[in-house]
């Protein structure tokens, strides 16, 4: 990519050439702004490339503000309303990119996530956007406040660049090995903009030694379930792994689970297993055989070994049978932690939305400074919502920079 000579000037500099940064660049470029995007990664858009198992779950057609976690649940509404999943589909149609709905409104590329990357880079070229990578930003300095003068000066590995609008689109902390950093949070703090508490989210959960050994025996087993924390529930699949618990239901609920707290799992939603255990017809079967039609035989065997005895219901009192049913419908588990940013899809928390305009993503206290995408305290559920937030917040800032 191109080099910038020392003391270059641009209208807009965007740090981070990911989903949000490129969408913002395209929109600002189309408005005739001179836009420079800087990224420290050698290979651009790695998160898009690896997302959705390589096919990028790029949006969710049912997106609403209720699909996001944020200190201010209303903050995301304006941007989401002005750039909807259908706007992104129009862009896909322009580039003739094929997609399909997998489940629950989740849209994936038919071919590969590379189609989306190629589309974004082509749109950047058409909008006259310049992208520099790999280029690192060593420092950001505010300039004296003068009308029509640049507001920020950036020291980069290619020299000095000044700009009127500076957009921070450096994402969250997940997957450090492909270039994730806390740069955005550090810039916020440098300008006295608060950052909420952050932690990994949409992340597999780890367990204490005993529970872990049990899950290991079931490693690879997937089970429909409802995972709940307080009033929040997700009805999706759970996956037992040799490290603990994963699968969509667990990733979803991980975003709501505070460290050290418990979650409750109903492993047979919609069934009443106590009725089955106490049914006259099942009196002489073993407990494993009563459970087996509702789950895999292996699951039933391991479950009974851990939580019951493999006797017949007739041999057990109703109290014991109720207790077995309760382990299945209300399995309460306290994870020891999670698999961290190396395995998390997103970072929960980020730049405090109280400091940002929900209309433009500009800081209320530092005019000219914008934050978009995952670096902001807006975290989507699993299912294409995080990309929709990246597109929508990038689009909102792109109209304002
Ligand atoms: P993004 O992370 O995309 O881009 C940030 C950019 O900033 C990167 O290019 C990085 O190199 C650059 N950068 C960071 N620090 C820098 C620095 N100091 N200097 C210069 N540049 C710097 N979401 C979804 O909706 N559907 C999905 O299918 C998936 N799948 C998925 C899989 C996996 C494995 C992960 C880890 C995540 C997902 N996600 C997802 C989440 C989604 O990828 C994420 O929310 C968006 O990419 C966020 O977009 P941003 O543009 O904010 O950050």
């Amino acid at each position: 990519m191109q080099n910038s000579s020392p003391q270059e000037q641009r209208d807009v500099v965007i740090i981070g050439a990911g989903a949000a940064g490129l969408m913002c660049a395209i929109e600002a470029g189309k408005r005739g702004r001179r836009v420079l995007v800087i990224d420290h990664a050698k290979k651009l858009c790695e998160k898009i490339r690896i997302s959705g198992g390589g096919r990028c779950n790029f949006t969710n057609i049912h997106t609403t503000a209720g699909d996001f976690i944020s200190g201010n649940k209303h903050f995301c509404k304006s941007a989401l309303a002005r750039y909807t999943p259908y706007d992104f589909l129009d862009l896909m149609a322009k580039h003739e990119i094929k997609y399909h709905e997998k489940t629950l409104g989740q849209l994936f590329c038919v071919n590969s996530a590379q189609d989306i990357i190629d589309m974004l880079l082509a749109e950047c070229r058409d909008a006259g956007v310049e992208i520099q990578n790999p280029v690192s930003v060593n420092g950001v300095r505010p300039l004296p406040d003068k009308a029509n003068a640049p507001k920020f000066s950036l020291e980069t590995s290619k020299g000095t660049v000044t700009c009127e609008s500076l957009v921070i689109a450096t994402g969250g902390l997940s997957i450090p090995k492909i270039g994730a950093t806390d740069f955005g949070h550090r810039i916020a703090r440098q300008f006295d903009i608060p950052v909420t508490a952050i932690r990994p989210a949409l992340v597999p959960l780890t367990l204490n030694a005993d529970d872990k050994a049990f899950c290991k025996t079931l490693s690879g087993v997937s089970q429909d379930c409802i995972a709940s924390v307080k009033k929040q529930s997700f009805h999706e699949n759970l996956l037992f792994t040799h490290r603990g618990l994963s699968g969509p239901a667990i990733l979803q609920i991980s975003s709501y689970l505070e460290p050290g707290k418990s979650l409750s799992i109903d492993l047979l939603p919609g069934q009443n297993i106590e009725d089955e255990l106490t049914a006259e017809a099942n009196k002489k079967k073993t407990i494993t055989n009563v459970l087996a039609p509702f789950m895999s035989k292996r699951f039933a065997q391991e479950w009974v070994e851990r939580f019951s005895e493999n006797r017949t219901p007739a041999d057990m009192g109703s109290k014991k049978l109720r207790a077995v049913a309760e382990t299945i419908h209300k399995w309460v588990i306290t994870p020891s932690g999670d698999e961290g940013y190396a395995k998390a899809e997103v970072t929960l928390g980020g730049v405090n939305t109280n400091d940002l305009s929900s209309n433009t993503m500009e800081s209320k206290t530092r005019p000219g400074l914008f934050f978009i995408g995952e670096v902001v305290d807006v975290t989507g559920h699993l299912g294409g919502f995080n990309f929709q937030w990246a597109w929508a917040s990038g689009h909102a800032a792109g109209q304002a920079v």
Side-chain angles (χ1 to χ4, degrees), residues 15-21 39-41 47 50-52 57 169-171 174-175 179 181 183 344-346 373-374 384-387 390:
I15 308 178
D39 201 296
H40 68 166
K47 252 187 211 169
I50 64 170
S51 67
N57 176 197
T170 46
S174 49
I175 325 283
T181 69
F183 181 89
E345 267 200 20
V346 286
E374 202 184 311
F385 303 105
N386 285 296
F387 276 127

Side-chain angles (χ1 to χ4, degrees), residues 14-23 38-60 106-108 132 135-138 168-175 178-184 186 202 341-347 372-376 378-391 393:
I14 299 168
I15 308 178
L22 292 185
M23 178 56 82
I38 296 172
D39 201 296
H40 68 166
K42 263 195 197 143
K43 226 169 156 192
L44 293 176
C45 301
E46 275 300 88
K47 252 187 211 169
I48 298 179
R49 196 186 318 278
I50 64 170
S51 67
R55 291 212 161 78
C56 188
N57 176 197
F58 57 86
T59 193
N60 191 302
Q106 302 168 8
L107 303 187
F108 286 74
Q132 292 181 354
V135 169
S136 54
V137 179
N138 304 323
I168 307 299
T170 46
L173 295 176
S174 49
I175 325 283
I178 58 165
T181 69
D182 67 348
F183 181 89
R186 280 188 276 123
L202 300 181
Y341 289 115
K343 290 284 154 65
E345 267 200 20
V346 286
T347 301
I372 56 173
E374 202 184 311
V375 75
V376 177
V378 173
T379 307
H381 291 168
L382 192 73
F385 303 105
N386 285 296
F387 276 127
Q388 187 56 37
W389 170 245
W391 313 134
S393 59

Side-chain angles (χ1 to χ4, degrees), residues 136-216:
S136 54
V137 179
N138 304 323
V140 174
R141 206 161 44 86
L143 294 173
D145 194 12
K146 282 193 215 145
N148 302 322
K151 290 191 174 68
F152 301 95
S153 173
L154 281 74
E155 292 305 324
T156 81
S157 53
K158 298 272 185 199
T160 305
V161 189
T162 62
C163 58
E164 277 171 41
S165 297
L166 176 61
V167 184
I168 307 299
T170 46
L173 295 176
S174 49
I175 325 283
K177 71 173 184 209
I178 58 165
T181 69
D182 67 348
F183 181 89
H185 305 142
R186 280 188 276 123
I187 290 290
R189 290 192 191 100
Q190 178 189 336
F191 289 98
D192 294 324
I193 296 168
V195 176
T196 66
I198 58 163
R199 63 180 163 86
L202 300 181
V203 64
L205 299 173
T206 55
L207 304 172
N208 64 41
D210 196 29
D211 289 332
K212 184 175 159 185
F214 171 62
C215 285
K216 206 170 166 183

Side-chain angles (χ1 to χ4, degrees), residues 35-257:
V35 182
L36 169 65
V37 187
I38 296 172
D39 201 296
H40 68 166
K42 263 195 197 143
K43 226 169 156 192
L44 293 176
C45 301
E46 275 300 88
K47 252 187 211 169
I48 298 179
R49 196 186 318 278
I50 64 170
S51 67
R55 291 212 161 78
C56 188
N57 176 197
F58 57 86
T59 193
N60 191 302
I61 42 171
H62 304 310
T63 302
T64 68
D67 299 305
F68 297 86
I69 306 167
S70 171
N72 174 359
K73 63 182 191 311
H74 304 292
F75 179 81
C76 59
K77 287 182 179 170
S78 168
L80 290 173
R82 283 177 296 132
Y83 194 84
T84 70
Y86 294 97
D87 291 313
F88 196 77
L89 288 181
D90 285 346
L91 191 58
M92 302 264 294
K94 180 180 161 196
H95 291 261
E96 298 178 353
I97 299 174
K98 291 199 186 103
Y99 63 89
H100 66 109
E101 181 179 347
K102 209 167 170 186
T103 173
L104 306 168
Q106 302 168 8
L107 303 187
F108 286 74
C109 294
V110 168
N111 296 321
S112 133
Q114 187 64 42
D115 288 349
I116 303 250
I117 301 172
D118 292 344
M119 172 184 83
L120 293 171
L121 294 177
E123 287 285 320
C124 279
R125 271 193 302 276
D126 290 351
V129 170
E130 182 189 352
I131 302 175
Q132 292 181 354
N133 75 298
V135 169
S136 54
V137 179
N138 304 323
V140 174
R141 206 161 44 86
L143 294 173
D145 194 12
K146 282 193 215 145
N148 302 322
K151 290 191 174 68
F152 301 95
S153 173
L154 281 74
E155 292 305 324
T156 81
S157 53
K158 298 272 185 199
T160 305
V161 189
T162 62
C163 58
E164 277 171 41
S165 297
L166 176 61
V167 184
I168 307 299
T170 46
L173 295 176
S174 49
I175 325 283
K177 71 173 184 209
I178 58 165
T181 69
D182 67 348
F183 181 89
H185 305 142
R186 280 188 276 123
I187 290 290
R189 290 192 191 100
Q190 178 189 336
F191 289 98
D192 294 324
I193 296 168
V195 176
T196 66
I198 58 163
R199 63 180 163 86
L202 300 181
V203 64
L205 299 173
T206 55
L207 304 172
N208 64 41
D210 196 29
D211 289 332
K212 184 175 159 185
F214 171 62
C215 285
K216 206 170 166 183
T217 63
L218 287 170
S219 180
V221 169
S222 170
Q223 177 72 23
D224 180 44
C225 80
I226 296 177
S228 310
V229 169
K230 294 182 190 157
K231 286 185 182 152
Q232 189 67 44
S233 294
F234 291 96
H235 188 166
E236 295 195 47
N237 275 353
L238 167 154
L239 178 69
F240 292 94
T241 74
H242 59 283
R243 288 188 297 271
L245 295 173
S246 189
I250 295 301
L251 299 185
Q252 297 277 33
I253 207 69
S254 74
S255 301
Y256 289 87
L257 185 67

